Amino acid sequence: MSAYGSDMSTPSASAIHILGVRVDAVTYAEALLRIEGFVREGGPHQVVTVNPEFIMAAQRDAAFRDVLNRAALAVPDGARILWAARHLGRPLIEQVSGVDLVERIAARAAETGWRLFLLGAAPGVAERTATVLTTRYPGLSIAGTYAGSPALEEEEGIVARIRAAQAEILFVAYGAPAQDLWLARNLARTGAAVGMGVGGSFDYIAGAVKRAPLWMRQRGLEWLYRLIRQPWRWRRMAVLPRFVIAVMRQSSVASSQTIF
Ligand code: UDP
C-alpha cells in the first residue's frame, strides 16, 4: 500500500480542484467516517486541511502540491474555499476547519479508544491541549505529547518516540507546509494510521490564542480577526486577494472551455 493510503489511487468521486489542488467534498460527518475507515484499514493515511494559503503556497512549491494531492483526505478548511468551490460551479455543503475536526476526532476517539499523539507547538502547549481534551472528552487516551521541531536532525528521535507510544492518530502542529511535509516523510514510520497537520489548533484548544467569535467565523471574517490579533500575519494573508483573482481566472477559463 502507498504511504498515503489506498485512497491515493481512488480519490474521492466528489473531489474538486482549485488551482490544481484537490479538495474533497466532505462534511464533518463524512470526514470522520473516512477517518474511522482509515483506522480500521490500518497503514498510513495523511489528512490535509486545505485553505487558500495552502493553495497559493502550492502554486510555487511542487513538493507541497504533491503532498496535498496525494493525501488520503483533503478537507475544505475555511469560508474562502467554500466561496471558491461555489464560484467554480461545485458548491460544497460545509467547511471542515482543522481545529473543529481535531475536536471531533478527539470526541470519537474517547468512544472508540483510539490513542492520540500531539506533536508540535511551543513547549507545554501540546500538554495543555491534552489536558483540555481529556477533560472535555472523558475516556480519551493520549498516547503522548511532544513539542520538538520540524528540523531534519530531530526526525529520527521523534519518529521513535511516536512509534513507542503506539498511537492510532497523530496530530502535527508545525504550521504549513512544514507539518504536512513532515508527515509525508515520516507518517508511515510512526505506525499511526492517521496523521494530520493541525496548524495553530493546539494554541486554540489550550487557550494560548483566542479564536474569532462564531459570528465572524460564520461570515468568513476569521482572517480579519486573526489579522487584528496577530498583525505579523499580514504577509501570509497578502496572498488572499491573489487567491480570489486566480480562482476567478480559473472559473472564466473553465466556462470558456464549456462554451467553445
Ligand atoms: N510551530 C512549531 N514549530 C515550528 C513552527 C511552528 O511548533 O518550527 C507551531 C507554532 O507554535 C503553532 C503552529 O506550529 O502552534 C503553527 O501555527 P499557525 O497559527 O502558524 O498555523 P496555521 O493555523 O495558520 O496554519
mmCIF file of all heavy atoms in Angstrom, residues 120-122 150 173-176 199-200 203 226 233 236, ligand 1:
data_model
loop_
_atom_site.group_PDB
_atom_site.id
_atom_site.type_symbol
_atom_site.label_atom_id
_atom_site.label_comp_id
_atom_site.label_asym_id
_atom_site.label_seq_id
_atom_site.Cartn_x
_atom_site.Cartn_y
_atom_site.Cartn_z
ATOM 1 N N GLY A 120 4.187 18.952 18.396
ATOM 2 C CA GLY A 120 4.394 20.315 17.909
ATOM 3 C C GLY A 120 3.870 21.391 18.844
ATOM 4 O O GLY A 120 3.521 21.123 19.994
ATOM 5 N N ALA A 121 3.853 22.611 18.340
ATOM 6 C CA ALA A 121 3.514 23.844 19.073
ATOM 7 C C ALA A 121 4.627 24.179 20.079
ATOM 8 O O ALA A 121 5.581 23.411 20.251
ATOM 9 C CB ALA A 121 2.154 23.765 19.742
ATOM 10 N N ALA A 122 4.480 25.314 20.740
ATOM 11 C CA ALA A 122 5.510 25.753 21.687
ATOM 12 C C ALA A 122 5.542 24.803 22.882
ATOM 13 O O ALA A 122 4.522 24.164 23.183
ATOM 14 C CB ALA A 122 5.198 27.177 22.145
ATOM 15 N N PRO A 150 10.368 20.737 13.529
ATOM 16 C CA PRO A 150 10.396 20.028 12.243
ATOM 17 C C PRO A 150 11.797 19.890 11.657
ATOM 18 O O PRO A 150 11.953 19.429 10.528
ATOM 19 C CB PRO A 150 9.492 20.903 11.353
ATOM 20 C CG PRO A 150 9.516 22.260 11.964
ATOM 21 C CD PRO A 150 9.797 22.088 13.422
ATOM 22 N N ALA A 173 1.529 19.889 14.784
ATOM 23 C CA ALA A 173 1.334 21.349 14.784
ATOM 24 C C ALA A 173 2.667 22.055 14.540
ATOM 25 O O ALA A 173 3.264 22.609 15.474
ATOM 26 C CB ALA A 173 0.727 21.785 16.125
ATOM 27 N N TYR A 174 3.140 22.010 13.301
ATOM 28 C CA TYR A 174 4.362 22.738 12.939
ATOM 29 C C TYR A 174 4.077 23.827 11.914
ATOM 30 O O TYR A 174 5.013 24.378 11.329
ATOM 31 C CB TYR A 174 5.420 21.770 12.385
ATOM 32 C CG TYR A 174 6.105 20.897 13.442
ATOM 33 C CD1 TYR A 174 6.550 19.619 13.136
ATOM 34 C CD2 TYR A 174 6.310 21.376 14.732
ATOM 35 C CE1 TYR A 174 7.178 18.829 14.086
ATOM 36 C CE2 TYR A 174 6.929 20.586 15.692
ATOM 37 C CZ TYR A 174 7.366 19.321 15.368
ATOM 38 O OH TYR A 174 7.993 18.550 16.313
ATOM 39 N N GLY A 175 2.779 24.101 11.653
ATOM 40 C CA GLY A 175 2.432 25.075 10.619
ATOM 41 C C GLY A 175 2.656 24.477 9.233
ATOM 42 O O GLY A 175 3.435 23.535 9.069
ATOM 43 N N ALA A 176 1.934 25.009 8.241
ATOM 44 C CA ALA A 176 2.085 24.520 6.859
ATOM 45 C C ALA A 176 3.164 25.345 6.164
ATOM 46 O O ALA A 176 3.296 26.529 6.449
ATOM 47 C CB ALA A 176 0.757 24.662 6.109
ATOM 48 N N GLY A 199 -1.807 22.910 12.208
ATOM 49 C CA GLY A 199 -1.514 24.347 12.317
ATOM 50 C C GLY A 199 -1.570 24.839 13.751
ATOM 51 O O GLY A 199 -0.976 24.243 14.646
ATOM 52 N N GLY A 200 -2.337 25.899 13.956
ATOM 53 C CA GLY A 200 -2.410 26.513 15.287
ATOM 54 C C GLY A 200 -3.490 25.913 16.182
ATOM 55 O O GLY A 200 -3.824 26.516 17.217
ATOM 56 N N ASP A 203 -2.834 25.716 19.895
ATOM 57 C CA ASP A 203 -2.841 27.048 20.534
ATOM 58 C C ASP A 203 -4.267 27.457 20.895
ATOM 59 O O ASP A 203 -4.516 28.038 21.950
ATOM 60 C CB ASP A 203 -2.235 28.100 19.595
ATOM 61 C CG ASP A 203 -0.776 27.802 19.276
ATOM 62 O OD1 ASP A 203 -0.091 27.222 20.134
ATOM 63 O OD2 ASP A 203 -0.324 28.154 18.172
ATOM 64 N N ARG A 226 -7.922 37.405 12.930
ATOM 65 C CA ARG A 226 -6.529 36.977 13.118
ATOM 66 C C ARG A 226 -5.570 38.107 12.783
ATOM 67 O O ARG A 226 -4.545 38.279 13.430
ATOM 68 C CB ARG A 226 -6.220 35.760 12.230
ATOM 69 C CG ARG A 226 -6.986 34.538 12.666
ATOM 70 C CD ARG A 226 -6.599 33.332 11.858
ATOM 71 N NE ARG A 226 -5.525 32.592 12.508
ATOM 72 C CZ ARG A 226 -5.031 31.453 12.049
ATOM 73 N NH1 ARG A 226 -5.473 30.926 10.942
ATOM 74 N NH2 ARG A 226 -4.068 30.845 12.692
ATOM 75 N N ARG A 233 0.822 38.442 10.779
ATOM 76 C CA ARG A 233 0.349 37.524 9.749
ATOM 77 C C ARG A 233 0.071 38.198 8.415
ATOM 78 O O ARG A 233 -0.269 37.528 7.451
ATOM 79 C CB ARG A 233 -0.964 36.867 10.201
ATOM 80 C CG ARG A 233 -0.774 35.869 11.277
ATOM 81 C CD ARG A 233 -2.091 35.203 11.620
ATOM 82 N NE ARG A 233 -1.878 34.173 12.603
ATOM 83 C CZ ARG A 233 -1.496 32.945 12.302
ATOM 84 N NH1 ARG A 233 -1.332 32.594 11.054
ATOM 85 N NH2 ARG A 233 -1.289 32.062 13.247
ATOM 86 N N ARG A 236 1.473 36.668 5.236
ATOM 87 C CA ARG A 236 0.848 35.422 4.787
ATOM 88 C C ARG A 236 -0.535 35.685 4.195
ATOM 89 O O ARG A 236 -0.963 35.031 3.265
ATOM 90 C CB ARG A 236 0.734 34.451 5.957
ATOM 91 C CG ARG A 236 2.038 33.701 6.173
ATOM 92 C CD ARG A 236 2.035 32.937 7.450
ATOM 93 N NE ARG A 236 0.881 32.033 7.547
ATOM 94 C CZ ARG A 236 0.658 31.271 8.590
ATOM 95 N NH1 ARG A 236 1.477 31.292 9.615
ATOM 96 N NH2 ARG A 236 -0.387 30.487 8.628
HETATM 97 N N1 UDP B 1 5.310 25.612 15.270
HETATM 98 C C1 UDP B 1 6.221 24.795 15.896
HETATM 99 N N2 UDP B 1 7.498 24.709 15.438
HETATM 100 C C2 UDP B 1 7.896 25.406 14.326
HETATM 101 C C3 UDP B 1 6.951 26.232 13.663
HETATM 102 C C4 UDP B 1 5.665 26.311 14.155
HETATM 103 O O1 UDP B 1 5.874 24.136 16.887
HETATM 104 O O2 UDP B 1 9.050 25.286 13.946
HETATM 105 C C5 UDP B 1 3.926 25.680 15.768
HETATM 106 C C6 UDP B 1 3.502 27.007 16.349
HETATM 107 O O3 UDP B 1 3.862 27.083 17.710
HETATM 108 C C7 UDP B 1 1.989 26.915 16.165
HETATM 109 C C8 UDP B 1 1.840 26.063 14.908
HETATM 110 O O4 UDP B 1 3.079 25.442 14.688
HETATM 111 O O5 UDP B 1 1.406 26.232 17.245
HETATM 112 C C9 UDP B 1 1.534 26.869 13.659
HETATM 113 O O6 UDP B 1 0.524 27.684 13.897
HETATM 114 P P1 UDP B 1 -0.023 28.735 12.859
HETATM 115 O O7 UDP B 1 -1.035 29.514 13.607
HETATM 116 O O8 UDP B 1 1.092 29.463 12.182
HETATM 117 O O9 UDP B 1 -0.679 27.772 11.784
HETATM 118 P P2 UDP B 1 -1.981 27.979 10.910
HETATM 119 O O10 UDP B 1 -3.128 27.580 11.778
HETATM 120 O O11 UDP B 1 -2.009 29.417 10.483
HETATM 121 O O12 UDP B 1 -1.714 27.013 9.781
#
